Amino acid sequence: MAKLTPKERMAIPRQKMPVQDSNLRINNFDEVALGYDEKTAKMEAERCLQCKTPQCVHGCPVGVRIPEFIRALREGNIPLAVSEMKIKNNLPAICGRVCPQETQCEGKCILGKKSKPVAIGRLERFIGDYELLHRTCPLEKASPTGKKVAVVGSGPAGLTCAVDLGRAGHKVTIFESLHVAGGVLVYGIPEFRLPKKVVHAEIDYAMDCLGIEIKTDYVIGRTLSIRDLLDNFDAIFIGSGAGLPMFLKIPGVDLNGVMSANEFLTRVNLMMGYLFPEYDTPVKLGKKVAVIGAGNVAMDAARCSLRLQKILSDSNNDKTEVHIVYRRSRQEVPARAEEVHHAEEEGIIFDFLTNPVEILGDEKGCVKAMRCIKMELGEPDSSGRRRPVPIKGSEFDIEIDTVIVALGTSPNPLIFIDAEELQRTKYGTVVADQITGKTTVDRIWAGGDVVTGAATVISAMGAGKRSAEDINKFLL
Amino acid sequence: MEKKTGYKILEKEAFSDVTKIMVIDAPHVALKAKAGQFVIVKIDEKGERIPLTIADYDREKGTITIIFQEVGKSTMHLGSLKVGDKVDTFVGPLGHPTEVKNYGTVICIGGGVGIAPIYPIARSLKEAGNEVISIIGARNKDLLFWVDNMKAVSSELIICTDDGSIGRKSLVTEPLKDILNSQKEISKVWAIGPAVMMKFVALTTEPFKVPTIVSLNTIMIDGTGMCGGCRVPLKEGAQFVCVDGPEFDGHSIEWDGLLGRLQYYRDEEKIAFDRFKSHSCNLDKITTEREG
Ligand SMILES: Cc1cc2nc3c(=O)[nH]c(=O)nc-3n(C[C@H](O)[C@H](O)[C@H](O)COP(=O)(O)OP(=O)(O)OC[C@H]3O[C@@H](n4cnc5c(N)ncnc54)[C@H](O)[C@@H]3O)c2cc1C
Ligand SMILES: Cc1cc2nc3c(=O)[nH]c(=O)nc-3n(C[C@H](O)[C@H](O)[C@H](O)COP(=O)(O)OP(=O)(O)OC[C@H]3O[C@@H](n4cnc5c(N)ncnc54)[C@H](O)[C@@H]3O)c2cc1C
Ligand code: SF4
Ligand code: SF4
Ligand code: FES
């Protein structure tokens, strides 16, 4: 394409993402967003103004070299785009799919002021997928240093840290309590949003090139303790995430049919419950499901429920419903914009300004209804959002047979057994330096959700990367 | 990446048609295993994660012994594996170990396959200097096992069967009540078996105010505190069996809520079981046809 003037660039509309039709996709777990082809990607890339001081980069928690990779892409040099990307981000095929771009990179893009921002996430996914297919960018490895590092947890934080340390020539061992690596990327985020083969391919590639060892089935705190690791490794990085689910403190939470989003998503995604009985783990779901909360986890639980209901139902006439019950309003919904949009398209019912106060059971101890109260927005609270307050006397019951609780998680305490000297906050998160991730114990670093509480994939990766840098300095 | 190689079955023996014992090569679990803890086993790629108690361990050989009863798809599948076969996943040791001290005189009760986990506990309690009285029970004589093992660690061993084919024809709670009514000072009771049995043991000891520890077998998924599926309703709020247990004070449990939760997946369990049976029957047919 000939060189365009800024005006011409701004006249190009933001390129649409092809998606699976909403009537079809609610019957399967295949990916919803299908990805740009090369022509569309280049057209979208033409929209970028190549700003001298690019605001988009400030919006990205790891500072991806956005103008540089977009420029390489539109000049047709995709391998260069990949290597520009990998300077800051090893896992573009994943981040391109799951980052909340509208509040990060794209939220700061200058084009967003007048029209729509450059679709940075979609371009990132495009080059990530290209790289998975063509493997143009081998991971370089420095000569062995003879130092050994243990990484606990194989989610985005642990993986990123391990890869960077592996590149630097250290011998890295990852300990993972589950039977597969990937953390939330495999047990939480569903197939239709992030295909597992993308995650496995990224992990295998990094491990094969760098010789990183992943020991699955190791629960640190039980199988081995942090103290054992200190005895056998030169440094430790803890990236064990925030996997402990919170339950509501209302009557009825122990009824059959109430579960945490973690239980539901683990059954569905990690254990492939949507393929029961071919796979052994069943998932039980009623005809009327209420998901409590409105973050990414809630959206995923609701959209998985919808698909499962279709798969499980004997006929198409079965009347099924999935509700998202959220105590604030549409404006405050914390989930990624694209997921909320897709959820609405798929027919999820949103009950805003509604808060459950009790779950009611039948004589067999199974859920039959949920008592809720209407809320209104009052003064802003400490999070800056307007605080929801109950409207007196507005209680009402909704008929429901499954309740999925998606109200947040905190760090799993198992890892801290026999590691009391590791200082933690009252929320159970590890105290660590904001930049380096250094903890209160010598030779131990930590990053990702275990330090920040539930956050994002890219911020966990950023933390892993910064710690790797600091650990490397310490070891050399 | 070190591809998963699995964990080998080194020994296998059948105690009865439905009760099997296996020794598994799992040095990483054997290193720290203690009485009262459990492992999570997943047989193959499509398998579910099921919890099984560590019935014994050998740190030097790096092995773990499990004993299980074939009650559904996964345990039946496990029981069909042979020496030399491997299971995909073997995680542990999980849960809190039994708190072993010298309490004085204690009673250890094992019902059915619960005899397997009660044995290492009784043995540790004896080693710590306790006088151990044991009561073991099963539906019939064929389902009993480890009688000699239990005898070796108990000052007195009482056997009960539902049909009277051996020992006393009664539930385990009857001899328990007799002992509690006798002059003997009992410091603590352990009971492991079907949930209903543990409920009635707890109800029996409650009026005597004898602390009673039960080991719960709720449905689990991850076994590491990540899902809450194993939660047990206690009088002071729910706890996770995989992390906070598996042992609990039997007097603090809301038994009816717990029993209800155990039944919740019954229909699905039956589907999986029937499907496995028809598959393995077909397999049997094919092999016998070939061999014949
Ligand atoms: C359903 C869901 C949807 C989400 N959607 C998005 C999204 O769209 N976009 C986004 O940016 N973020 C999303 N998030 C958040 C994001 O996934 C997390 O912030 C991110 O995965 C945190 O990475 P981590 O490496 O810190 O931890 P995790 O990904 O949680 O990984 C931690 C790993 O450590 C292991 N582990 C824990 N304890 C131990 C132990 N004792 N011994 C050994 N291993 C241990 C765990 O099994 C796990 O594999 C979502 C989260 C969930 C649950
Ligand atoms: C901490 C712990 C330790 C355990 N240790 C042992 C052990 O040492 N030996 C042993 O044989 N079993 C043990 N169990 C029980 C064992 O996990 C179950 O029997 C097994 O998961 C059943 O799987 P399945 O697919 O064969 O049967 P399913 O098809 O899942 O169930 C078949 C039948 O068994 C019942 N059932 C299902 N799950 C359980 C359960 N967790 N506990 C009790 N009944 C259940 C169902 O209600 C159903 O009637 C333990 C459970 C826990 C939680
Ligand atoms: S990593 Fe995420 S936030 Fe950063 S540029 Fe890529 S999509 Fe945007
Ligand atoms: S702010 Fe937008 S237009 Fe400017 S460099 Fe970044 S992506 Fe391109
Ligand atoms: S089995 Fe998931 S929390 Fe216990």
Side-chain angles (χ1 to χ4, degrees):
Chain A
M1 207 180 268
K3 216 164 181 340
L4 303 175
T5 63
K7 205 164 167 195
E8 284 168 324
R9 292 191 190 288
M10 278 154 73
I12 307 172
R14 181 169 154 119
Q15 300 297 297
K16 285 215 170 68
M17 178 65 122
V19 292
Q20 219 198 124
D21 181 77
S22 59
N23 289 318
L24 288 179
R25 71 182 189 237
I26 55 175
N27 296 298
N28 66 50
F29 273 77
D30 299 340
E31 195 167 15
V32 169
L34 302 171
Y36 282 162
D37 58 19
E38 191 166 335
K39 194 161 149 259
T40 319
K42 282 186 173 156
M43 182 62 83
E44 181 62 31
E46 290 292 350
R47 299 182 64 228
C48 171
L49 301 178
Q50 296 288 307
C51 306
K52 288 262 146 39
T53 45
Q55 291 308 306
C56 53
V57 178
H58 293 301
C60 172
V62 298
V64 162
R65 294 159 62 87
I66 297 169
E68 288 84 354
F69 99 76
I70 292 184
R71 179 185 201 151
L73 168 59
R74 79 181 181 208
E75 287 172 355
N77 191 348
I78 305 179
L80 177 64
V82 173
S83 50
E84 288 288 2
M85 172 61 64
K86 292 219 166 172
I87 295 173
K88 296 287 183 188
N89 180 352
N90 299 326
L91 305 168
I94 295 171
C95 296
R97 283 175 168 86
V98 303
C99 271
Q101 286 93 5
E102 68 276 9
T103 60
Q104 298 184 353
C105 51
E106 295 181 21
K108 291 269 165 64
C109 170
I110 192 86
L111 286 189
K113 296 230 161 75
K114 290 248 169 75
S115 66
K116 288 189 175 149
V118 175
I120 302 167
R122 293 170 183 178
L123 294 177
E124 179 164 326
R125 167 184 169 163
F126 172 77
I127 66 153
D129 286 354
Y130 178 93
E131 175 59 12
L132 283 180
L133 219 62
H134 297 92
R135 293 302 183 201
T136 59
C137 180
L139 291 172
E140 282 154 35
K141 193 177 171 187
S143 49
T145 60
K147 303 282 180 172
K148 295 198 298 177
V149 185
V151 170
V152 184
S154 61
L159 282 174
T160 310
C161 187
V163 165
D164 281 10
L165 289 168
R167 271 186 184 157
H170 309 302
K171 170 100 194 68
V172 182
T173 309
I174 300 182
F175 295 93
E176 167 58 50
S177 58
L178 292 173
H179 54 271
V180 283
V184 170
L185 304 178
V186 294
Y187 81 72
I189 303 181
E191 181 74 18
F192 57 79
R193 209 146 72 75
L194 178 62
K196 299 302 155 256
K197 66 171 195 296
V198 173
V199 182
H200 295 318
E202 292 280 26
I203 293 173
D204 287 349
Y205 181 53
M207 303 307 129
D208 287 341
C209 294
L210 296 172
I212 292 167
E213 189 183 358
I214 303 190
K215 285 188 176 293
T216 47
D217 305 341
Y218 272 76
V219 183
I220 302 307
R222 292 278 189 221
T223 312
L224 292 174
S225 68
I226 290 284
R227 195 157 293 153
D228 297 325
L229 297 182
L230 277 175
D231 290 343
N232 290 291
F233 292 87
D234 299 298
I236 301 176
F237 176 78
I238 300 178
S240 55
L244 186 77
M246 283 181 220
F247 279 92
L248 286 160
K249 298 229 165 17
I250 60 174
V253 281
D254 291 321
L255 290 166
N256 269 328
V258 184
M259 58 187 147
S260 72
N262 262 12
E263 172 177 352
F264 177 67
L265 292 170
T266 304
R267 283 180 183 272
V268 175
N269 300 319
L270 179 71
M271 307 309 294
M272 312 286 275
Y274 64 94
L275 297 175
F276 177 85
E278 191 194 336
Y279 281 72
D280 289 343
T281 307
V283 195
K284 196 155 181 140
L285 204 67
K287 299 212 184 313
K288 292 195 172 179
V289 177
V291 177
I292 302 170
N296 283 320
V297 185
M299 289 312 137
D300 285 344
R303 296 173 70 204
C304 282
S305 298
L306 191 86
R307 284 161 173 74
L308 266 171
Q309 284 178 335
K310 301 286 174 205
I311 293 171
L312 295 174
S313 81
D314 317 323
S315 71
N316 286 325
N317 316 331
D318 261 5
K319 182 133 177 53
T320 55
E321 277 173 24
V322 179
H323 294 249
I324 292 252
V325 177
Y326 184 48
R327 64 196 181 115
R328 299 180 194 255
S329 74
R330 167 84 210 212
Q331 244 122 40
E332 289 83 21
V333 167
R336 265 185 106 220
E338 189 184 6
E339 312 312 330
V340 181
H341 173 66
H342 285 159
E344 282 173 332
E345 270 183 0
E346 289 167 8
I348 307 277
I349 303 163
F350 285 78
D351 300 329
F352 293 118
L353 292 168
T354 303
N355 206 22
V357 289
E358 183 176 357
I359 302 168
L360 308 166
D362 62 15
E363 62 293 339
K364 284 193 191 135
C366 296
V367 175
K368 67 168 192 202
M370 191 162 75
R371 182 155 299 159
C372 299
I373 190 161
K374 281 274 166 211
M375 311 290 278
E376 59 190 351
L377 293 179
E379 294 300 306
D381 62 13
S382 58
S383 72
R385 298 179 299 180
R386 291 175 64 195
R387 182 199 302 275
V389 284
I391 302 174
K392 257 215 176 98
S394 67
E395 286 91 346
F396 64 102
D397 292 353
I398 40 177
E399 205 185 294
I400 275 306
D401 43 20
T402 304
V403 179
I404 300 177
V405 185
L407 288 177
T409 50
S410 57
N412 189 320
L414 280 183
I415 190 168
F416 306 109
I417 295 173
D418 218 15
E420 294 76 18
E421 60 282 16
L422 203 60
Q423 204 180 318
R424 290 194 286 153
T425 66
K426 65 174 179 199
Y427 304 107
T429 50
V430 172
V431 174
D433 184 278
Q434 280 198 359
I435 297 186
T436 63
K438 241 186 129 4
T439 68
T440 51
V441 178
D442 212 29
R443 296 196 287 130
I444 303 184
W445 284 255
D449 283 4
V450 74
V451 170
T452 56
T456 61
V457 172
I458 189 65
S459 51
M461 287 177 43
K465 222 174 171 60
R466 290 191 306 272
S467 285
E469 211 179 304
D470 200 51
I471 293 172
N472 199 29
K473 262 192 235 151
F474 167 79
L475 292 177
L476 292 180
Chain B
M1 169 173 169
E2 186 202 43
K3 299 285 182 238
K4 262 191 120 144
T5 51
Y7 306 89
K8 200 186 251 171
I9 300 168
L10 301 176
E11 291 171 42
K12 176 188 172 184
E13 200 188 318
F15 282 157
S16 72
D17 285 352
V18 293
T19 315
K20 311 260 158 90
I21 175 169
M22 280 181 180
V23 178
I24 313 274
D25 180 39
H28 69 304
V29 182
L31 198 65
K32 300 224 163 160
K34 290 211 180 98
Q37 292 186 293
F38 66 95
V39 291
I40 290 269
V41 184
K42 178 169 166 288
I43 298 173
D44 57 17
E45 193 221 328
K46 297 182 176 174
E48 61 183 336
R49 293 169 65 102
I50 62 164
L52 293 172
T53 306
I54 295 173
D56 206 351
Y57 51 84
D58 186 325
R59 284 200 222 292
E60 263 146 47
K61 292 197 189 125
T63 60
I64 296 287
T65 303
I66 51 174
I67 298 182
F68 57 92
Q69 202 158 34
E70 296 178 2
V71 293
K73 149 84 221 287
S74 297
T75 43
M76 180 169 272
H77 188 180
L78 188 60
S80 72
L81 300 182
K82 301 182 198 62
V83 171
D85 288 348
K86 287 175 169 178
V87 293
D88 235 27
T89 295
F90 202 81
V91 197
L94 299 169
H96 287 290
T98 304
E99 208 179 304
V100 176
K101 284 197 294 203
N102 190 348
Y103 298 96
T105 303
V106 298
I107 303 179
C108 290
I109 306 174
V113 74
I115 299 168
I118 206 73
Y119 166 67
I121 294 173
R123 184 179 59 187
S124 307
L125 285 166
K126 182 186 153 81
E127 281 164 7
N130 293 281
E131 183 190 347
V132 179
I133 302 175
S134 299
I135 308 174
I136 57 176
R139 282 205 305 281
N140 58 51
K141 183 167 170 257
D142 295 335
L143 291 172
L144 272 185
F145 56 90
W146 277 7
V147 173
D148 291 339
N149 280 357
M150 287 303 292
K151 228 177 228 155
V153 298
S154 315
S155 67
E156 186 185 351
L157 175 68
I158 302 163
I159 297 173
C160 306
T161 49
D162 292 2
D163 65 356
S165 50
I166 184 175
R168 188 164 163 180
K169 183 174 188 251
S170 81
L171 299 172
V172 293
T173 41
E174 286 180 26
L176 171 65
K177 200 181 252 165
D178 294 345
I179 301 170
L180 293 170
N181 276 323
S182 73
Q183 292 308 308
K184 226 172 167 88
E185 178 79 23
I186 303 297
S187 315
K188 212 160 176 159
V189 172
W190 270 263
I192 309 183
V196 189
M197 179 203 97
M198 295 191 282
K199 169 183 169 176
F200 283 102
V201 167
L203 291 180
T204 306
T205 57
E206 201 160 17
F208 296 91
K209 297 203 170 55
V210 179
T212 299
I213 304 292
V214 296
S215 181
L216 296 181
N217 44 14
T218 49
I219 291 173
M220 290 189 180
I221 301 136
D222 57 300
T224 64
M226 202 179 90
C227 74
C230 64
R231 67 194 191 280
V232 50
L234 299 182
K235 285 173 184 149
E236 66 274 23
Q239 287 198 337
F240 292 2
V241 174
C242 66
V243 172
D244 305 310
E247 294 190 347
F248 289 91
D249 166 8
H251 299 151
S252 73
I253 293 168
E254 298 278 9
W255 286 101
D256 294 340
L258 177 75
L259 291 166
R261 288 187 66 81
L262 281 175
Q263 297 295 321
Y264 190 51
Y265 273 93
R266 216 165 28 189
D267 298 345
E268 288 76 11
E269 284 154 357
K270 184 157 170 14
I271 295 172
F273 181 71
D274 291 346
R275 191 170 178 274
F276 180 74
K277 267 189 101 165
S278 75
H279 276 213
S280 49
C281 290
N282 287 340
L283 272 181
D284 286 348
K285 229 186 276 163
I286 294 164
T287 33
T288 34
E289 273 164 15
R290 275 211 199 112
E291 284 162 2

